[in-house]
Amino acid sequence: MNYEQYNRQSFDNLIQIQEKFKETFEIDSYANWFYDGETELLRLYNNDDDEIYFKYVSVGTHSLKSETWMWSWFNKHSIEKSKNQLLVVKEFGIENNYEKLHNGTFSSDEYDGWELSSICLNFVNGIGVYKVNTDNLDIFMLITNLVDKSSPEIKKLKQKTVDCGSHGYSRPAFVCQHLNLESPKGFEEAFETYLGMELDEEDDFQAWCSECEKVRTEYNGWNEESEKFAGIKLICENCYFELKDFNQTNLLG
């Protein structure tokens, strides 16, 4: 069987699985998502009372900028341990000379992500596939099972996240006291970011306004005085990117 035939067979199977997955869990009814690479948990939610959790296996990403696919097992920034389960797919690709299954990265479009995820379902038991949309990436996840909201895993997740009144549980972020959604004040970051990006363990979302940047420069970096002026506060990841969009867009406009 050539790759096109195998791919079509797998994709037809995914269509049936996906229909049942979406119908059973009403996936399209949730407006928001959050995932945590350490616990490999995906949260879909509208609010704290309307939410659902799944375990997932990271399949890979499609870059919207470079139009390339990258397998999770090839991605050094992917921290999910379960990605190693997909090495069997890579070996299968080598044995059958299916290049897309054993090449770590290659030119692609969004459909490759769905097709490759469907093939992974032949090797890893799953109940569906979910695609997380970020500014730069489409992230494909193989959903393995539903997780009870009262489980120790969920409790652990909530302990390491911020409980935001507007967005529910999300990753923490840190901004200066001057940034708001009323008047644009610039937006300086520790490093370039986008919503949903994977962070190294030692990294956090950090941003400050243009005035804070002037003070920071005067003191040759962060110290007691520059930090006092900044008055860094804790917010959630979603609030962070709302501030980023407002303060960058309106300042330029």
Side-chain angles (χ1 to χ4, degrees):
M1 183 183 298
N2 63 34
Y3 177 75
E4 287 71 23
Q5 292 171 323
Y6 181 70
N7 175 41
R8 171 49 57 185
Q9 184 181 83
S10 300
F11 191 75
D12 288 344
N13 183 51
L14 171 63
I15 292 175
Q16 298 180 37
I17 293 174
Q18 201 70 0
E19 287 179 354
K20 182 179 180 181
F21 174 58
K22 294 174 71 173
E23 180 180 351
T24 301
F25 300 106
E26 299 181 336
I27 298 302
D28 293 335
S29 69
Y30 297 100
N32 307 294
W33 54 262
F34 169 74
Y35 72 92
D36 179 68
E38 182 181 349
T39 58
E40 298 172 331
L41 286 168
L42 170 68
R43 178 195 186 215
L44 304 180
Y45 65 99
N46 292 314
N47 53 58
D48 286 348
D49 297 319
D50 187 12
E51 61 179 356
I52 193 168
Y53 291 87
F54 297 99
K55 288 289 285 186
Y56 73 87
V57 174
S58 177
V59 178
T61 57
H62 167 66
S63 171
L64 302 178
K65 287 187 175 181
S66 62
E67 296 187 339
T68 55
W69 169 263
M70 181 179 292
W71 282 100
S72 59
W73 50 259
F74 186 77
N75 187 349
K76 64 180 181 180
H77 298 295
S78 175
I79 64 174
E80 289 91 346
K81 295 179 180 179
S82 63
K83 65 183 181 181
N84 292 325
Q85 295 182 39
L86 301 184
L87 290 175
V88 65
V89 181
K90 177 184 177 183
E91 293 302 318
F92 177 76
I94 294 173
E95 292 171 3
N96 292 274
N97 197 29
Y98 295 163
E99 292 186 357
K100 287 187 176 181
L101 302 189
H102 65 78
N103 287 342
T105 183
F106 51 86
S107 297
S108 70
D109 56 34
E110 176 191 344
Y111 298 104
D112 280 304
W114 288 107
E115 292 171 354
L116 296 171
S117 296
S118 73
I119 290 174
C120 290
L121 281 170
N122 296 331
F123 298 87
V124 179
N125 289 329
I127 58 175
V129 174
Y130 191 80
K131 178 168 71 79
V132 167
N133 301 307
T134 73
D135 291 340
N136 298 322
L137 295 173
D138 288 333
I139 304 171
F140 288 84
M141 302 173 174
L142 194 158
I143 306 303
T144 57
N145 60 277
L146 178 70
V147 181
D148 191 289
K149 291 194 290 185
S150 62
S151 71
E153 284 184 298
I154 303 302
K155 292 180 180 179
K156 178 182 177 181
L157 175 65
K158 291 184 176 181
Q159 287 174 352
K160 60 178 282 189
T161 54
V162 176
D163 186 5
C164 174
S166 300
H167 304 107
Y169 290 94
S170 185
R171 288 188 291 185
F174 301 89
V175 298
C176 75
Q177 62 182 327
H178 312 112
L179 290 172
N180 57 53
L181 297 175
E182 298 174 359
S183 58
K185 294 179 171 61
F187 199 86
E188 303 289 337
E189 293 186 286
F191 49 86
E192 183 60 32
T193 64
Y194 58 86
L195 182 64
M197 71 181 291
E198 295 178 353
L199 297 174
D200 292 334
E201 290 186 12
E202 66 274 12
D203 288 335
D204 291 302
F205 295 112
Q206 303 174 37
W208 50 93
C209 69
S210 298
E211 286 302 313
C212 281
E213 177 63 11
K214 291 179 182 178
V215 173
R216 190 181 76 90
T217 301
E218 290 175 5
Y219 285 98
N220 295 314
W222 292 115
N223 60 20
E224 184 176 350
E225 293 301 320
S226 57
E227 289 180 3
K228 181 179 179 180
F229 179 82
I232 299 297
K233 60 183 180 181
L234 172 67
I235 61 173
C236 84
E237 176 181 1
N238 290 286
C239 287
Y240 181 93
F241 284 98
E242 287 179 357
L243 286 171
K244 180 174 183 177
D245 182 64
F246 175 83
N247 283 276
Q248 285 188 335
T249 303
N250 289 283
L251 190 67
L252 294 173

